[in-house]
Amino acid sequence: MHAHTDFEKASFKHLSANKNDFIGVLHAISAPNLLLHVSAYQAFLWNEMVRDYVRSQFYGELRSYPGIAGEYLFCLHPIAPDLVIAELATFGRKMNCDQGFMSGYIEEVLARYGIRKGMLNNVKVRNFRMHSFKRRFVVKPKQCAFNICSDSSSAEYNSMRITFDLPSGSYATMFLKHRCITSAWQIK
């Protein structure tokens, strides 16, 4: 394994001298960056759980788009109303693992990454803990508008302006990919 950044080099050096002292590595991360890393990991685990569920329930009715942290899945048919309003807890301290239809998927993701439920409650770094919070299963953009604009510099091309509102933490780029990909499939 090759270290590319100064932080990676220092982390590997620390772990070489202090086997399995991952908490020591976490202490070396500044508080703002630690929050960023933990939030990103929570989002990754949550997305893995939802991706597993979507794959199992919508098999054959999905289109995928490759991504760095796994494929993005897009449903081709309307999603059941109970899922549209569902909120699921993110992975973290005092997480309720008994979330009805998602319970098995939570256990699967924890097992896949070697995480025991108790680990989410016990890890504390500089008075910081990984807290669980509710996140919407499906987020629908509001106030969408699509406008075709003539490009005065070329008779061949037009441009499109897309405006919409999404709650904080939603992925606007995924909405745009979904619109572009599903539109392309409809055109074929």
Side-chain angles (χ1 to χ4, degrees):
M1 185 173 285
H2 299 286
H4 299 285
T5 67
D6 290 340
F7 174 72
E8 289 173 348
K9 291 172 187 172
S11 297
F12 289 136
K13 183 178 179 182
H14 176 83
L15 289 170
S16 294
N18 305 282
K19 188 176 179 179
N20 295 327
D21 182 23
F22 299 103
I23 299 299
V25 172
L26 293 177
H27 279 285
I29 301 173
S30 69
N33 283 336
L34 181 61
L35 179 60
L36 179 71
H37 289 300
V38 168
S39 296
Y41 192 60
Q42 276 183 302
F44 170 76
L45 293 173
W46 192 89
N47 288 333
E48 286 287 292
M49 174 182 64
V50 171
R51 187 180 296 122
D52 287 354
Y53 174 78
V54 169
R55 267 196 211 112
S56 73
Q57 298 299 312
F58 298 96
Y59 183 79
E61 302 173 19
L62 298 169
R63 292 290 187 257
S64 66
Y65 184 85
I68 293 171
E71 64 183 337
Y72 300 107
L73 302 176
F74 302 104
C75 296
L76 298 178
H77 301 289
I79 296 173
D82 57 333
L83 287 182
V84 171
I85 61 169
E87 289 187 335
L88 304 170
T90 59
F91 289 78
R93 187 170 183 255
K94 297 183 181 179
M95 175 188 182
N96 177 7
C97 291
D98 183 22
Q99 295 190 57
F101 67 96
M102 293 303 291
S103 296
Y105 300 97
I106 293 168
E107 300 294 335
E108 167 63 29
V109 169
L110 291 173
R112 183 181 313 148
Y113 295 102
I115 302 169
R116 294 181 315 279
K117 286 186 266 187
M119 294 169 107
L120 301 171
N121 292 328
N122 295 332
V123 177
K124 180 179 177 183
V125 179
R126 288 191 310 272
N127 295 321
F128 177 80
R129 290 187 187 267
M130 194 163 122
H131 293 282
S132 179
F133 59 92
K134 297 263 184 174
R135 191 170 159 194
R136 297 287 302 264
F137 188 85
V138 175
V139 178
K140 291 187 173 186
K142 295 183 178 158
Q143 299 178 358
C144 287
F146 299 85
N147 299 311
I148 303 294
C149 309
S150 294
D151 185 349
S152 59
S153 65
S154 170
E156 251 182 89
Y157 300 102
N158 289 322
S159 60
M160 180 182 346
R161 176 176 286 185
I162 304 170
T163 58
F164 55 91
D165 289 332
L166 281 171
S168 178
S170 301
Y171 297 101
T173 53
M174 290 302 97
F175 170 66
L176 293 173
K177 283 180 183 177
H178 180 263
R179 294 308 315 155
C180 294
I181 289 171
T182 54
S183 295
W185 287 318
Q186 292 169 355
I187 291 170
K188 288 181 182 180

